[in-house]
Amino acid sequence: PKRARGFDGRVGLRLGEETFVARVRKERIRVSRGPLDSADAVIAGTPEAVAAAVYGGAPADGLVFEGDEVLARRFLTLFI
């Protein structure tokens, strides 16, 4: 929660054929399956690559960023 302080945005996750939108606001996160139309940024990659970057702090070299890349990269730091 502390890492999410000041974070206010929607980050889309494209994991293969599956898409999700993570809404981060007021130090809370809510993830729902659905289209990425409302996302401020999108992170795309294999489920394994995204999970490694989000939860393990692995380099984001294999990921594709769309939209607000700064927001997307900050999102990756919220869970480690």
Side-chain angles (χ1 to χ4, degrees), residues 2-69:
K2 288 183 182 180
R3 289 190 179 137
R5 186 171 290 143
F7 193 108
D8 187 5
R10 291 180 175 89
V11 177
L13 301 167
R14 184 178 300 117
L15 310 174
E17 299 296 318
E18 303 291 330
T19 58
F20 303 85
V21 176
R23 174 68 167 123
V24 183
R25 186 170 184 237
K26 295 184 180 179
E27 299 180 33
R28 294 182 183 261
I29 184 169
R30 182 180 40 165
V31 180
S32 57
R33 183 182 304 263
L36 305 177
D37 301 344
S38 67
D40 301 308
V42 175
I43 301 169
T46 66
E48 297 83 7
V50 173
V54 170
Y55 299 117
D61 299 340
L63 303 180
V64 175
F65 297 96
E66 301 170 18
D68 187 339
E69 186 172 341

